[in-house]
Structures are given as structure tokens and as C-alpha cells.
Amino acid sequence: MSTQAHAIAEFERYFGHHPSFVVRAPGRVNLIGEHTDYNDGFVLPIAIDRAVWIALRPTATRHVVLHALNLKQSAEFSLDSIQHENQQWVEYIKGVAWALQQAGYLLGGWEGLIASDIPIGAGLSSSAALELAATRAFAAVSSYPWEAIKMAQIGQQAERKWVGVNCGIMDQMISAVGHAGHGLLIDCRSLKTELVPLPPDITVVVLDTATRRGLVDSAYNERRQQCKMAARFFGVPALRDVSQIEFDAKAEALDPVVFRRARHVISENTRTLQAANTMSQKDAVEFGQLINASHISLRDDFEVSSPELDQMVDCAQQESACYGARLTGAGFGGCAIAIVHANAVQNFTETVAINYQKATGLQPEIYVCTAADGATITST
Ligand code: GLA
């Protein structure tokens, strides 16, 4: 049974009647353009074929009544007095309601059943997916138009101001705007997007190291601070505004750590734009080399890799079917991605799993992904 059908059936079981809509919002992996979004730079993610689904029905009340199938937990809150509590998943939905109301949207109540096949905590943006699914649910019951980019911004507000995670805009944008078969080149300053077709003979494989690091948030915030310091040094609003030539001319006077952080961001922006070009030209070899270079820069200059991520990337790169591999997302643990020749995926995943396990003693999770559409709604 598909996750959508499952969500409908479970809604009927739990609430005792048929839902009016099912909304769906996907998780993501980033192909290239890492730690560039909060520097007003460029990112190139795909929405993946794993998503959060909410089957829902409007109610005549001012309440949102929820059941999360995977977690077997229920919750309810009033739109008239949204309070912080400690049930993490509900906070994302409350945060969306709060951000929508702050932005002047008039919201109606609903009851909803949430189902998801995005692994939680793996770095595949299950939280952004939940936020975007919630924006679609509120739009459906409140009769306001669901505008993808505005709703991505609402999701980001919810996460930053309500949940308290200081993220960029990439995860919410791709969950909102993603397109099947395509990567999305996002200019994180103007929020202009460009669809970039995936080369036909490649498959995107997500390699979960089965490691999670604490303190990711503080390390992430520290990187943001260092990037800000570098931008201030160059006298510009964000590192996006520093060219390689300006960097080479002036950067020597920077503190050595800040120097390396800035060098990553500036070179990663260039690589991301080049990657979009090579993808459009169906040049998987050149695309893969840019991905490999991104990993080296994240490892050595931005210092957000880990021994397990390096090991996983190494295992992937050793395979002849692999065009390129790198850590993806915030780093420190979680997932790498590999771009693999479509004909050799099965052999690739089996060999990498064995070799990674031999080297680390850890059992990896491997997801073969296709690029999916951004958030959708269906009447049931
Ligand atoms: C996390 C954040 C994104 C982005 C990446 C790093 O996934 O949520 O906004 O900054 O890290 O590229």
C-alpha cells in the first residue's frame, strides 16, 4: 500500500470518517552548494521520492487535532493561543500556524493524520517536509492561495523563530518548488530558481553513515558567525558578493580559520553554478568531479565532515560506477550522496555497504532516490 493510501486508511480508522484532502511534501538531498544558502549563495538540491503525507479534514472549530502514525502520538492545539510544549513534531506544525498568523493569514481548524517515509534525523529534511505539508494543509482548509516561495519562507520562519533552529532557506525551498527528474538551482538571495535536468544515465544514491553528532546546531551557528565575520571583513552584505579575484587579493589578512571558511563558500558557489552547466550539458564526468571537489572543501576548509563521512565518501569514490561523492546537508554525521551510473546501482550499493561496514563496524542505510515534485495536494 502506498504511503498516501495508508494515510487515508489510517485517517478513517482514527477519526471515523473520510478525509477531504491529502497533502504531501518531500524530503531532499542537496547535490551541491553546501553551507552557501545562509551566505546568499547558490544551492542545487533535488526533492526526493520520500515525503510527509497528511490526510486531513477541515473542522468548524479553532483547533488543530493531529495523530502522527509513525510515532503513535496524538496532539491538539488551539489557533487562538498557540503555546510552546515539548512534543517536538507538533512544534513544527504550531510554528507554521504561528508564522502564517504573524503574516496575516486567517486560519481554520482541521484534523489530520500524519504519515512519513523520510527517516528522521538522517539529514533528509523531514522537518522542512513537515512544515511544507502543514502550509498546504492550512491553505486547504483556510482558502488562501498556496504560493510555493512564500510558503517556503513561512516554513523557514517557523523553524527559526518557533522551533529555534537557525537554518537557511534551501530545505524549505526545495520541498516547496522541487520538480520530478530535475535538480533546482536556487539563488538564495533573490529566490529565483532554475530547473536543471538530471543527466539521463545517472542515479542519485544517498548513503547514511548511521552516525549522528550532537552539537550540530552550535557548530552550524559557529560557521554562520565565521562567514558573517568574513563578509564584514570584505565590506559586503554576504560572502555571495565576494569574487575569487577579490578574495585572492585581500584574504591573506584574515584570521586563518575564517579564511578557510570563506574560501569554501566562495569556491562552492562557483562549483554550484558550474555543476548546473555540466548537468545541462549531460556531462556526468565533470559533474562528478565538482562533487568530489565539494567534499574536499567541506572537509578541509569548512571542517564539517567526520571520519565516518570521509570513509563513506572514500568507499563510494573507489567504485568505478561512481562519478562523484560527498557529504550532503549540514555535515558532522548523517548522509553522503553518490552520483552513480544508472546501470550499476545494485552492485554499487552492495559493495559500498560491505566496505563501509568492514571499515567502521557500522551498518549503513542506503537509499536509491529519484527526483520528485515539490509539495502537492489531492482532494479525496
Ligand atoms: C542544513 C540547513 C540548510 C543548509 C544546510 C547546509 O540542512 O537546514 O539551510 O544551510 O544545512 O548546506
Side-chain angles (χ1 to χ4, degrees):
M1 196 192 277
S2 70
T3 315
Q4 169 166 357
H6 196 203
I8 294 172
E10 289 295 326
F11 180 98
E12 285 169 348
R13 222 164 59 88
Y14 189 83
F15 291 104
H17 43 244
H18 195 64
S20 310
F21 308 100
V22 182
V23 295
R24 170 201 142 273
R28 65 100 186 89
V29 286
N30 191 16
L31 300 178
I32 193 162
E34 215 65 84
H35 289 278
T36 45
D37 61 351
Y38 53 83
N39 290 295
D40 281 1
F42 299 93
V43 294
L44 183 40
I46 59 170
I48 57 173
D49 50 343
R50 286 173 171 263
V52 169
W53 303 80
I54 307 179
L56 71 137
R57 195 173 99 140
T59 58
T61 70
R62 301 281 302 147
H63 285 251
V64 177
V65 181
L66 300 164
H67 183 69
L69 192 59
N70 306 52
L71 302 168
K72 298 191 178 60
Q73 288 176 11
S74 301
E76 180 170 348
F77 65 92
S78 161
L79 291 167
D80 296 323
S81 70
I82 308 177
Q83 309 285 337
H84 275 102
E85 280 151 322
N86 258 345
Q87 214 172 348
Q88 196 57 19
W89 61 276
V90 195
E91 297 307 315
Y92 293 101
I93 300 197
K94 284 187 202 164
V96 166
W98 171 83
L100 284 166
Q101 293 192 145
Q102 286 280 310
Y105 292 90
L106 297 175
L107 304 183
W110 48 283
E111 50 195 20
L113 182 128
I114 305 168
S116 169
D117 56 9
I118 310 174
I120 293 174
L124 300 179
S125 286
S126 56
S127 48
L130 183 54
E131 289 152 14
L132 267 294
T135 65
R136 284 230 84 138
F138 278 112
V141 304
S142 316
S143 310
Y144 64 82
W146 188 85
E147 294 166 275
I149 293 177
K150 271 193 193 158
M151 292 302 123
Q153 290 170 311
I154 290 286
Q156 187 196 24
Q157 284 292 95
E159 183 130 2
R160 293 182 64 164
K161 303 256 168 73
W162 189 269
V163 180
V165 176
N166 199 14
C167 61
I169 189 72
M170 167 170 69
D171 308 342
Q172 289 79 10
M173 274 293 286
I174 185 65
S175 185
V177 188
H179 199 82
H182 291 73
L184 193 71
L185 179 65
I186 306 172
D187 176 335
C188 296
R189 172 171 281 163
S190 66
L191 299 187
K192 286 209 174 102
T193 61
E194 193 184 306
L195 287 176
V196 186
L198 285 170
D201 57 342
I202 65 148
T203 297
V204 178
V205 180
V206 176
L207 305 160
D208 188 342
T209 59
T211 59
R212 308 284 179 261
R213 290 282 181 272
L215 301 178
V216 174
D217 284 355
S218 61
Y220 184 87
N221 289 335
E222 184 189 51
R223 299 299 183 284
R224 287 187 75 130
Q225 270 314 108
Q226 291 162 334
C227 292
K228 233 189 210 168
M229 278 167 66
R232 210 173 301 135
F233 169 88
F234 286 103
V236 292
L239 279 178
R240 145 73 173 275
D241 301 302
V242 181
S243 69
Q244 191 65 52
I245 294 169
E246 280 165 300
F247 180 80
D248 292 342
K250 291 197 199 143
E252 235 169 68
L254 273 171
D255 161 88
V257 173
V258 177
F259 173 96
R260 292 204 306 279
R261 304 296 187 254
R263 183 164 63 182
H264 164 71
V265 173
I266 292 161
S267 62
E268 184 78 350
N269 274 329
T270 306
R271 279 188 291 274
T272 305
L273 293 172
Q274 286 172 345
N277 272 334
T278 58
M279 277 170 72
S280 301
Q281 287 157 14
K282 303 185 174 47
D283 185 346
V285 173
E286 178 69 26
F287 178 45
Q289 279 163 7
L290 290 163
I291 285 181
N292 290 339
S294 170
H295 184 75
I296 292 170
S297 180
L298 287 160
R299 185 191 66 196
D300 298 345
D301 276 353
F302 219 63
E303 294 178 282
V304 291
S305 192
S306 68
E308 294 85 2
L309 278 166
D310 289 342
Q311 186 63 57
M312 184 66 96
V313 166
D314 216 47
C315 289
Q317 287 172 346
Q318 273 167 29
E319 295 309 300
S320 57
C322 177
Y323 290 108
R326 66 177 200 89
L327 73 84
T328 186
F332 306 103
C335 295
I337 50 156
I339 304 301
V340 181
H341 199 290
N343 289 341
V345 173
Q346 174 130 15
N347 185 48
F348 171 85
T349 57
E350 285 167 10
T351 315
V352 169
I354 292 167
N355 290 344
Y356 177 77
Q357 194 166 4
K358 256 193 220 151
T360 61
L362 295 163
Q363 170 102 50
E365 291 290 334
I366 300 189
Y367 310 102
V368 176
C369 290
T370 56
D373 283 329
T376 48
I377 180 163
T378 317
S379 300
T380 57

